[in-house]
Amino acid sequence: QVQLVESGGGLVQAGGSLRLSCAASGRTSSMYTMGWFRQAPGKEREFVAYILWSNTYYGDSVKGRFTISRDNAKNTMYLQMNNLKPEDTAVYFCAAANNGGSHASLYNYWGQGTQVTVSS
């Protein structure tokens, strides 16, 4: 089992920045892929970014503004979000998988989510 706990969400004005963290515990050694997804009210869960080894991949809506990173020594993944827009408002979830990608169905483990609200 793998446990994931997100933190770092909050309220920020448009143009501002936030950094989300995802702390992993349990059987993390085989969780080669870690990712971020988000879900706004009334919308489907959307791919944000994922990291596999040192390779990073981003959804089109966040490319150039968000940066995903991972500190394996701390079993923690991060999402640095810059130039935030009101349309970034959502609950952000971290996820882990042995072999993940940009589809939520590929991930075995999920955190509880953290709310990010961007005001205009």
Side-chain angles (χ1 to χ4, degrees):
Q1 287 286 356
V2 174
Q3 293 78 43
L4 303 173
V5 179
E6 304 98 334
S7 61
L11 173 64
V12 64
Q13 288 189 330
S17 298
L18 280 175
R19 189 175 83 152
L20 304 183
S21 299
C22 174
S25 60
R27 295 186 146 182
T28 61
S29 59
S30 63
M31 296 295 108
Y32 301 119
T33 308
M34 294 191 74
W36 289 99
F37 291 79
R38 66 187 183 186
Q39 189 165 18
K43 294 189 176 181
E44 293 187 353
R45 194 162 294 194
E46 177 190 12
F47 165 66
V48 175
Y50 77 89
I51 184 166
L52 173 60
W53 300 109
S54 60
N55 298 312
T56 58
Y57 305 85
Y58 296 93
D60 288 341
S61 61
V62 306
K63 208 171 290 184
R65 299 187 297 123
F66 290 11
T67 303
I68 188 172
S69 62
R70 183 173 182 175
D71 185 336
N72 290 327
K74 295 182 178 180
N75 280 338
T76 302
M77 175 179 64
Y78 305 96
L79 185 68
Q80 178 65 43
M81 306 186 293
N82 296 330
N83 191 21
L84 283 160
K85 304 176 181 180
E87 51 264 43
D88 294 318
T89 295
V91 177
Y92 284 70
F93 298 89
C94 70
N98 177 262
N99 187 18
S102 61
H103 295 282
S105 61
L106 296 172
Y107 291 82
N108 310 98
Y109 301 100
W110 292 84
Q112 81 289 349
T114 185
Q115 176 71 46
V116 171
T117 303
V118 184
S119 63
S120 57

